[in-house]
Amino acid sequence: MPEREQKKRTAPQREADDVAEVTDAPQASERGEEIKADIDDLLDEIDEVLETNAEDFVRSYVQKGGQ
Amino acid sequence: MAITKICGIETEYGVVQRGVAESNPVTASSLLINAYVSGLAVPAAAGGPSVRWDFEDESPGRDARGAAPPDASPPDVETHLVNAVLTNGARFYVDHAHPELSTPECADARSVVVFDRAAEVILERAMAAADRVLPAGQEIVVHKNNSDGKGNSYGCHENYLMDRSVPFGRIVVAATTHFVTRQVFTGAGKVGVEASGLTAADVPYQLSQRADFFEAEVGLETTLKRPIVNTRDEPHADAQRYRRLHVIAGDANLAEVATLLKVGTTAIVLAMVEDDAFDRSLAIRNPVQAVRAVSHDPSLRRTIEVGDGVTMTALEIQFELLRQARKWADERGLESVGEDVGGDVLRRWEEVLTGLEADPDRVAGQVDWVAKRRLIDGWRARHDAEMGDPRVAAIALQYHDLRPERSLARRAGLERITTDHEVQRAVTEPPVDTRAYFRGRCLAKFGESIVAANWDSLVFDIGREPLRRVPMMEPSRGTEAHVGRLLDECSTPAELVERLSS
């Protein structure tokens, strides 16, 4: 968590629905490249511990509904 | 004045038995729990098969609104399945084809985090114990998640002690607003979507495991037509004075800060309801639609309608709740949620909202949906893989895997707020500041003489007729301060029962 100035703020309000404002997040691939560089060691580890038969494991993962 | 927000979490874990032709979840759950309980040093004292759960107090069909609507279908109480009470005050049992662990009653949100982590350790040890009794090639695997990705969901419920005199309708408005919008930090993340009519092309990734499964605003059900606010009115305490708000609209979290904030901010919002402290109502217009709208939008920019045509994002609503919470804390103090813990929750609440607003990746150590997405996006970049790659779904599932050698959450660099030492201790020892202390200590010391236990009583066999029931209708009594010395001094259950009734 970066240190940031903690300031009190009030929530802005909008008069109209502005879903239209929603734009795509920064280029996904660019972000992915940055993360890849950031967590290189972790990705090594994921490749090591990831179930080898991933496809089967996910397909056979069926639960009974609960609460 | 708000009452102390005694609280806890009950988690239904995902379970599979591998290496068998057909995995039976009820059998697997029973085997898992029995293996754990029978492996304990003092099985009876640890709440083994000899201590039965006492269903006297169970009435999940009672509705907080008074008369339930005619179509309400109360859940059944399953009395025949494995049901253990542990020396840390928790209940470990089979419910709806899942192993479920309810933490003991805790006096604040931080204590809940400690016991929620202890629950993970218990499930880990249960898997290891099951391994020792299963034939080679078989294994029981437990996930701390809320969906199998195929339309089946199971819950992680929270419970909060509330003042009975507060009108239920007032709770509904504030709780709904919070439950719809707190997803921005409570969401555990999900690849794809399980709401009908949508596909992964519409929603490749969403904040919450659970959001797709809510179909009603308020109701008694928990397994069908799930409501955002659940009306189960089963206080497990003095019903004249208390209600227990049973919250079903949350994800199971792996990130400790997410659990702290999920429980801590909710405890604050509910204490504010008791103090009637909201200076601005933020009633959400269409909560069922809004739960999904918020969850389906990782950009956090979509707005939802509150009040009279005003629209705000979930983050803006959370900032507004935080502003009011700070004002309430300044005026009324934080005693009801724990002074230090409440202060920490307010500080972290602001930090996480501010981080989410600036760039969600900044809170990858605190928020599960961000941590999981980061693993997925980094891995996809390395392997040039599509979102629909089955290995992406495997990463998403394995994030929740509780096997230490497989867990991805435990490798993701999540911030710790507990220590290993306190978590290990919480596996066997109860919290000192609620009635769970009395339950846990009695089980550890006199387990062989306890014939039944539940949330609000213990039944002792003191060697002569009749059996003696010790009621515990006050969740804040039975603490170390109240009964610690008494329990130290009594050497037999008869002496304890005698001194308690004198």
Side-chain angles (χ1 to χ4, degrees):
Chain A
M1 174 76 68
E3 290 298 320
R4 298 189 92 223
E5 191 192 341
Q6 302 295 320
K7 56 183 195 299
K8 302 231 172 180
R9 50 163 289 165
T10 53
Q13 290 176 14
R14 297 190 190 137
E15 290 302 310
D17 195 46
D18 60 356
V19 174
E21 258 181 40
V22 175
T23 52
D24 285 339
Q27 271 301 312
S29 55
E30 211 175 286
R31 206 180 129 265
E33 289 300 325
E34 272 172 37
I35 295 172
K36 188 174 79 171
D38 254 16
I39 59 171
D40 208 39
D41 291 348
L42 177 56
L43 293 172
D44 285 342
E45 221 181 323
I46 292 178
D47 282 330
E48 252 167 59
V49 302
L50 197 60
E51 291 282 351
T52 40
N53 47 354
E55 204 159 347
D56 284 350
F57 189 63
V58 171
R59 194 184 319 117
S60 66
Y61 190 77
V62 180
Q63 297 291 300
K64 282 243 163 56
Q67 297 216 48
Chain B
M1 193 60 202
I3 62 166
T4 300
K5 286 283 144 290
I6 290 177
C7 45
I9 288 184
E10 20 173 324
T11 307
E12 292 179 332
Y13 295 86
V15 64
V16 282
Q17 186 167 356
R18 304 179 79 187
V20 290
E22 210 166 316
S23 167
N24 178 325
V26 178
T27 313
S29 303
S30 304
L31 197 151
L32 185 77
I33 296 168
N34 280 326
Y36 177 77
V37 171
S38 58
L40 294 170
V42 195
S50 72
V51 179
R52 70 178 174 85
W53 185 259
D54 183 355
F55 288 93
E56 177 106 336
D57 173 52
E58 305 276 314
S59 51
R62 201 172 294 150
D63 197 307
R65 295 164 296 185
D71 61 338
S73 53
D76 295 326
V77 177
E78 297 174 284
T79 58
H80 58 289
L81 299 169
V82 184
N83 232 310
V85 197
L86 307 180
T87 54
N88 71 353
R91 180 186 177 196
F92 192 20
Y93 56 119
V94 183
D95 197 14
H96 295 278
H98 296 271
E100 174 158 348
L101 197 143
S102 295
T103 66
E105 305 90 327
C106 297
D108 59 56
R110 192 184 179 285
S111 178
V112 173
V113 179
V114 173
F115 282 91
D116 186 55
R117 287 307 307 271
E120 290 177 24
V121 173
I122 290 168
L123 267 302
E124 253 174 54
R125 291 186 188 173
M127 283 189 281
D131 256 1
R132 291 192 286 273
V133 297
L134 283 169
Q138 288 189 25
E139 179 187 22
I140 291 175
V141 180
V142 173
H143 288 81
K144 189 185 187 186
N145 59 1
N146 304 104
S147 147
D148 65 359
K150 299 173 181 69
N152 301 306
S153 183
Y154 29 101
C156 176
H157 300 174
E158 303 141 63
N159 296 293
Y160 302 89
L161 192 71
M162 292 198 71
D163 186 337
R164 168 68 64 176
S165 66
V166 176
F168 194 72
R170 216 164 79 200
I171 300 173
V172 170
V173 175
T176 302
T177 300
H178 189 48
F179 297 161
V180 168
T181 56
R182 69 176 190 169
Q183 295 182 83
V184 296
F185 52 80
T186 63
K190 180 159 79 182
V191 171
V193 61
E194 294 167 279
S196 60
L198 293 171
T199 68
D202 307 306
V203 185
Y205 189 78
Q206 61 174 306
L207 310 191
S208 160
Q209 293 256 304
R210 283 284 267 182
D212 289 334
F213 301 98
F214 289 93
E215 300 173 71
E217 292 178 25
V218 181
L220 187 57
E221 287 85 352
T222 53
T223 56
L224 294 162
K225 218 170 173 300
R226 293 184 185 87
I228 298 166
V229 174
N230 183 244
T231 55
R232 181 181 298 179
D233 189 5
E234 196 183 18
H236 297 311
D238 181 349
Q240 303 294 313
R241 301 183 58 190
Y242 302 117
R243 78 167 71 249
R244 168 182 66 116
L245 188 68
H246 182 239
V247 177
I248 69 170
D251 284 13
N253 291 110
L254 282 303
E256 292 186 359
V257 175
T259 302
L260 179 82
L261 287 179
K262 176 174 70 175
V263 177
T265 62
T266 304
I268 287 173
V269 165
L270 296 175
M272 290 169 68
V273 171
E274 287 177 339
D275 283 344
D276 207 1
F278 290 96
D279 57 25
R280 180 182 171 201
S281 166
L282 292 164
I284 289 174
R285 269 298 178 84
N286 188 339
V288 174
Q289 214 176 63
V291 166
R292 288 181 195 176
V294 171
S295 182
H296 293 177
D297 172 38
S299 80
L300 307 177
R301 294 185 211 171
R302 192 171 297 166
T303 56
I304 52 180
E305 199 179 328
V306 293
D308 295 324
V310 177
T311 59
M312 298 167 79
T313 65
L315 265 178
E316 287 166 354
I317 292 171
Q318 280 293 315
F319 271 116
E320 172 61 16
L321 287 173
L322 171 64
R323 179 192 67 77
Q324 299 200 44
R326 284 201 185 283
K327 182 161 166 273
W328 166 78
D330 289 345
E331 289 168 6
R332 304 290 196 107
L334 288 164
E335 201 189 331
S336 57
V337 293
E339 291 286 347
D340 294 348
V341 175
D344 190 37
V345 167
L346 287 172
R347 184 178 63 77
R348 287 178 176 279
W349 194 358
E350 175 157 3
E351 280 179 3
V352 164
L353 294 181
T354 307
L356 286 167
E357 187 184 45
D359 172 10
D361 281 328
R362 291 189 187 177
V363 293
Q366 290 77 31
V367 176
D368 283 306
W369 73 264
V370 177
K372 187 193 279 181
R373 187 179 68 169
R374 197 170 141 84
L375 299 186
I376 290 171
D377 289 349
W379 191 88
R380 283 178 56 207
R382 171 182 278 200
H383 294 277
D384 201 17
E386 296 295 323
M387 196 64 179
D389 191 305
R391 290 169 300 175
V392 169
I395 291 173
L397 176 58
Q398 213 170 309
Y399 183 84
H400 304 268
D401 197 321
L402 287 187
R403 291 173 296 175
E405 71 278 14
R406 294 285 183 190
S407 165
L408 296 189
R410 295 295 158 239
R411 291 173 166 77
L414 297 171
E415 181 186 352
R416 292 288 304 269
I417 59 170
T418 64
T419 65
D420 287 342
H421 176 73
E422 65 183 336
V423 170
Q424 294 295 329
R425 195 177 55 203
V427 169
T428 50
E429 288 179 35
V432 297
D433 46 10
T434 67
R435 67 181 174 193
Y437 177 81
F438 180 74
R439 180 186 312 117
R441 283 281 322 263
C442 283
L443 280 161
K445 191 162 181 176
F446 306 121
E448 283 169 16
S449 304
I450 296 173
V451 295
N454 67 19
W455 297 116
D456 57 23
S457 69
L458 292 178
V459 179
F460 288 87
D461 178 352
I462 56 170
R464 59 178 186 274
E465 292 293 316
L467 296 176
R468 303 287 293 269
R469 177 185 292 271
V470 177
M472 308 186 288
M473 302 307 281
E474 271 298 328
S476 60
R477 292 192 63 83
T479 64
E480 183 175 40
H482 290 137
V483 296
R485 240 185 82 192
L486 177 70
L487 281 160
D488 289 341
E489 286 168 5
C490 291
S491 51
T492 66
E495 188 186 351
L496 176 69
V497 170
E498 187 60 36
R499 285 182 62 179
L500 280 169
S501 51
S502 65

